[in-house]
Amino acid sequence: MTSPLEQKKIKIAGPSVVTANRTWDGIVVYRTAAKSWSADLSEAAIVRNSDEAKALLAESVADDVGAIGPYIAPVQVGADGKIEPGNLREQIRRTGVTIGQSAQV
Amino acid sequence: MYAYDEIDRTLVNERVSEFRDQVKRRLSGELTEDEFKILRLQNGVYLQLHAYMFRVAIPYGTLASNQLRALAHVARKYDRGYGHFTTRQNIQFNWIKLAELPDALEDLAKVGIHAMQTSGNNMRNVTSDQWAGVAPGEIEDPRIWSELIRQHTTLHPEFSFLPRKFKIAITASDHDRAAIKIHDIGLKLIKNEKGETGFEVLVGGGLGRTPFIGKTIKHFVHGRDILSYIEAILRVYNQYGRRDNIYKARIKILVHELGIEKFSREVEEEWQHIRNSSLQIDDEVIEDIRSRFSYPAYEKLPHMPDELRQAAADADFEAWRKNSVAPHKVQGYSIVTISLKPIGAPPGDATADQMDALADLADKYSFGEIRVGHEQNLALPHVAKRDLPALWKALDKLGLATPNVNLITDIIACPGLDYCSLANARSIPIAQELTRRFANHELANLIGRLHINISGCINACGHHHVGHIGILGVEKNGEEVYQITIGGRADEGAALGNLIGPGVKFDEVADVIEDVVEAYLALRERPDELFIDTVKRLGVEPFKERVYATR
């Protein structure tokens, strides 16, 4: 779970998405194939190699008003096409904190 | 309490207007995130995992009841109904929306609260002893000097773009509750042979990636010279501090690399240029600040009122009183620490309802005043002893009477991977599990004073280096792994802990801590030998042996 803030080189080992936080309210969002942002991971554009990742990230960075701090995050894609976060950090960003009562909405 | 004047109010209000305009321009796209980032950071706004995080300053840990209600209001209206008190007398809101931040700041400004310099490479919130002004034996109220420094350094152009963040803490008691030895500058109020007030000045303390205990740079600086002396330190830091490497940019690295002797010579030279300038403080300035602090009109009360004598028959009350109530400088009064560490809950969190109710209790029992300590607990600083039983019952109903202050479940923990974008591992769930393991009050009492500190990354916001037991979460091959240290302390005898061995996995941490504690109970010479003293006497080996013999 090396912090993506330390992400210097784009090197991906498997299916990945670009994720960020929406500018006006900060919620977690994912870059879609339609060049927009969605709070739903299932709508994220999947990239599978460094060139695709670079291109998606560049496009995401350019949309500075929409979302901030974009980075590439690993995902797992099931046989049924279902997308799941690829590490604990991204799992927590998707499903929320793991600490119980005080974190609930 | 300190009463803001018109200059303070104008400054805070103008800052809100300025930030409102900056947010508007950001949301319209007129400002890019790169341009906006430094502006939001200067107003305490970070980007964390789930959302923006908003950090609000509580200068020297003093809050009025109306200010606590304003924090409750922000938690309820703009966040998710709770706030998190930090190790530096700040409160953080974890789910704030950028678009609503100016409104939140405006609501806080109405009661004199702001978020200036709670982030960024500038002078951060000046912190102090949460018992300031009420602790028996104190030289004098350190908040007067904290306020002086706060005023001088707020928006000071020379201190707004330092090589890195800069933190000052002040204490006026022999027992250090402000952790001054782990600050960039630590100040201890003392008197010289002539009875004049001044400071022992420490410099270069800090934790993080490269921890150091602060070193004494000058044994006595007269009070009237403290601003010029601090400024001299900052000028040397500004000139020589590294800006090329964020990991080597703190003053502790400069002090370490130059050596304290050379560093102090540089400071002395600079100081001679400025000590007789306008930075020399007139007595009237100090007296003006002193006059703006109001102190309660204490009654003449008995040392042992009937209410307290009668309540002593209640074992639960006595357990709480012995743990959470401390002597006050005025007879008949007490300082009450309010544990924000209920069993199974995140350390340092308080709900909006709890904050509102505490504000009411402060009005009823503590002259409307609340304090915030670096241990992530609160305190009511002026409680009449006769009111202790009634206060305890009220706190108990709020879930705020856990009698665990300074015990093993009074854990300091950073937000960790549950919230923080820098974290590598979770902190809060570790703390929660440990509080469950040691929930039995008799067991916790048997163990005695024992501080556990947990950080979810090397930045050490949970001060793990100075925990009696320190727990540092790191990432190894995609897994959370925790390194355990023992023997650290953050008080007047500040020391860094020593690693006991290889890191352990998330699920094993609580078992390992149980082993360490069992080893201590078996090794201590007598029941009142504290954990930290047993470690000092025996070193880490016996603990290491106990933990790793079967792992």
Side-chain angles (χ1 to χ4, degrees):
Chain A
M1 281 139 296
T2 298
S3 169
L5 301 182
E6 295 167 22
Q7 197 173 49
K8 299 278 193 311
K9 292 177 184 171
I10 297 175
K11 192 174 164 186
I12 62 174
S16 301
V17 298
V18 169
T19 182
N21 293 76
R22 195 160 65 193
T23 301
W24 76 269
D25 63 355
I27 70 159
V28 174
V29 288
Y30 304 94
R31 191 69 179 173
T32 69
K35 298 186 186 301
S36 65
W37 297 98
S38 170
D40 187 348
L41 178 59
S42 70
E43 295 177 2
I46 304 291
V47 290
R48 295 180 186 277
N49 61 53
S50 297
D51 288 342
E52 286 177 8
K54 269 183 204 169
L56 190 65
L57 187 60
E59 169 201 315
S60 304
V61 168
D63 185 7
D64 180 62
V65 180
I68 64 172
Y71 61 91
I72 295 159
V75 291
Q76 291 171 352
V77 183
D80 57 357
K82 193 176 175 192
I83 308 171
E84 294 290 345
N87 61 33
L88 178 60
R89 175 192 166 97
E90 294 309 319
Q91 185 66 47
I92 290 172
R93 287 182 80 241
R94 186 190 182 200
T95 56
V97 294
T98 65
I99 61 177
Q101 75 278 24
S102 81
Q104 303 309 311
V105 182
Chain B
M1 289 306 306
Y2 181 76
Y4 272 15
D5 62 15
E6 198 49 42
I7 294 172
D8 294 309
R9 284 191 289 272
T10 302
L11 185 146
V12 170
N13 289 331
E14 284 181 351
R15 184 69 167 209
V16 174
S17 303
E18 182 186 66
F19 191 56
R20 185 180 293 284
D21 179 60
Q22 289 163 350
V23 169
K24 188 178 163 191
R25 287 190 287 144
R26 170 69 189 117
L27 293 176
S28 72
E30 192 181 332
L31 289 177
T32 66
E33 174 59 14
D34 280 349
E35 292 164 334
F36 180 67
K37 186 176 178 183
I38 190 168
L39 304 175
R40 68 170 164 81
L41 288 176
Q42 286 171 349
N43 288 282
V45 184
Y46 286 77
L47 181 67
Q48 296 288 39
L49 288 190
H50 310 280
Y52 292 99
M53 181 271 278
F54 178 38
R55 181 183 292 158
V56 175
I58 302 167
Y60 33 85
T62 297
L63 272 177
S65 57
N66 67 327
Q67 293 177 318
L68 186 56
R69 285 192 192 92
L71 294 173
H73 161 77
V74 167
R76 194 176 283 118
K77 182 169 180 183
Y78 302 104
D79 210 85
R80 292 193 176 181
Y82 68 101
H84 175 75
F85 289 94
T86 76
T87 53
R88 287 211 78 258
Q89 297 178 327
N90 297 306
I91 184 170
Q92 295 180 173
F93 298 102
N94 291 299
W95 310 91
I96 213 98
K97 296 178 176 67
L98 181 62
E100 294 179 354
L101 257 166
D103 291 339
L105 272 169
E106 188 171 313
D107 291 350
L108 292 174
K110 288 172 187 161
V111 293
I113 296 184
H114 61 81
M116 280 181 274
Q117 299 181 193
T118 56
S119 177
N121 294 336
N122 49 46
M123 185 73 75
R124 301 294 185 86
N125 189 28
V126 178
T127 58
S128 190
D129 183 354
Q130 69 270 27
W131 294 3
V134 292
E138 186 177 74
I139 297 286
E140 64 175 58
D141 190 339
R143 293 174 303 164
I144 292 156
W145 299 93
S146 309
E147 175 59 23
L148 174 78
I149 296 167
R150 186 195 72 78
Q151 288 182 14
H152 183 66
T153 57
T154 298
L155 305 186
H156 190 310
E158 197 173 329
F159 308 150
S160 295
F161 298 94
L162 295 168
R164 196 76 180 87
K165 59 187 170 182
F166 203 92
K167 302 173 181 177
I168 295 180
I170 308 179
T171 186
S173 292
D174 285 337
H175 178 50
D176 178 10
R177 282 173 291 268
I180 67 167
K181 291 189 175 181
I182 55 169
H183 278 75
D184 296 291
I185 290 179
L187 299 174
K188 185 181 179 193
L189 262 168
I190 50 175
K191 297 272 188 191
N192 66 7
E193 315 80 57
K194 295 179 192 165
E196 296 168 318
T197 300
F199 297 89
E200 179 186 355
V201 181
L202 293 93
V203 69
L207 301 175
R209 193 173 295 257
T210 317
F212 287 108
I213 299 299
K215 299 169 183 68
T216 298
I217 180 170
K218 203 155 182 76
H219 290 283
F220 186 82
V221 173
H222 196 287
R224 66 172 170 261
D225 295 323
I226 195 61
L227 285 187
S228 61
Y229 196 76
I230 288 172
E231 189 137 334
I233 291 174
L234 279 154
R235 284 185 177 190
V236 171
Y237 174 49
N238 236 340
Q239 184 172 358
Y240 296 116
R242 289 184 61 170
R243 286 179 159 82
D244 62 321
N245 184 339
I246 192 173
Y247 303 122
K248 297 191 174 185
R250 295 290 292 269
I251 196 172
K252 62 188 176 184
I253 303 294
L254 181 65
V255 172
H256 176 69
E257 290 185 351
L258 284 182
I260 187 67
E261 290 79 16
K262 181 164 171 44
F263 183 83
S264 69
R265 281 200 300 276
E266 294 281 348
V267 171
E268 197 69 25
E269 194 180 325
E270 185 63 37
W271 189 39
Q272 294 314 320
H273 293 303
I274 58 174
R275 69 178 295 188
N276 294 318
S277 67
S278 59
L279 290 171
Q280 196 172 78
I281 309 154
D282 293 334
D283 288 346
E284 299 86 74
V285 172
I286 294 298
E287 288 314 310
D288 180 56
I289 291 176
R290 197 188 307 277
S291 71
R292 290 180 174 280
F293 278 93
S294 59
Y295 294 90
Y298 295 113
E299 293 176 68
K300 195 169 180 183
L301 297 174
H303 171 67
M304 178 55 79
D306 289 343
E307 292 88 343
L308 199 54
R309 197 173 283 118
Q310 287 159 12
D314 185 327
D316 290 340
F317 170 75
E318 276 299 278
W320 173 80
R321 185 189 64 77
K322 285 179 181 167
N323 177 263
S324 305
V325 179
H328 194 283
K329 69 177 184 182
V330 176
Q331 178 181 295
Y333 287 86
S334 297
I335 305 165
V336 174
T337 298
I338 296 160
S339 168
L340 292 184
K341 318 289 175 65
I343 302 305
D349 277 14
T351 66
D353 290 347
Q354 285 176 325
M355 287 189 252
D356 272 339
L358 258 178
D360 292 345
L361 291 175
D363 283 340
K364 194 169 179 182
Y365 297 118
S366 183
F367 296 90
E369 197 173 326
I370 303 101
R371 301 290 180 82
V372 183
H374 91 270
E375 301 89 349
Q376 300 180 287
N377 289 323
L378 303 180
L380 295 179
H382 320 283
V383 180
K385 286 184 174 177
R386 67 178 176 216
D387 293 333
L388 287 170
L391 173 63
W392 168 67
K393 282 182 186 165
L395 288 171
D396 197 35
K397 279 185 189 164
L398 297 170
L400 294 171
T402 309
N404 63 350
V405 175
N406 287 323
L407 299 180
I408 191 167
T409 52
D410 185 5
I411 295 169
I412 291 175
C414 74
L417 189 60
D418 280 290
Y419 292 102
C420 180
S421 60
L422 297 175
N424 301 120
R426 287 171 289 168
S427 302
I428 296 171
I430 298 286
Q432 290 173 302
E433 177 59 17
L434 285 171
T435 63
R436 289 183 202 106
R437 295 282 180 108
F438 295 98
N440 183 300
H441 183 63
E442 283 175 21
L443 172 62
N445 249 341
L446 177 75
I447 296 164
R449 188 180 186 113
L450 202 168
H451 298 165
I452 296 179
N453 293 48
I454 310 172
S455 302
C457 79
I458 196 64
N459 292 303
C461 295
H463 297 179
H464 64 275
H465 297 292
V466 290
H468 296 176
I469 297 175
I471 302 172
L472 166 64
V474 298
E475 178 251 332
K476 200 172 177 185
N477 301 325
E479 262 195 285
E480 296 165 293
V481 172
Y482 295 82
Q483 297 172 352
I484 316 289
T485 54
I486 59 173
R489 57 195 297 174
D491 59 9
E492 60 281 3
L496 304 174
N498 293 302
L499 200 60
I500 63 166
V504 296
K505 291 181 181 176
F506 180 87
D507 292 336
E508 297 172 329
V509 176
D511 291 342
V512 167
I513 302 305
E514 279 188 333
D515 284 354
V516 170
V517 171
E518 280 175 18
Y520 155 64
L521 292 174
L523 290 164
R524 68 183 180 186
E525 279 186 326
R526 44 181 206 285
D528 64 347
E529 184 181 55
L530 299 181
F531 174 83
I532 191 70
D533 295 326
T534 304
V535 175
K536 191 174 181 183
R537 180 168 58 81
L538 297 173
V540 300
E541 282 307 318
F543 296 91
K544 183 176 183 174
E545 198 174 303
R546 174 64 184 252
V547 169
Y548 295 101
T550 55
R551 285 188 170 83

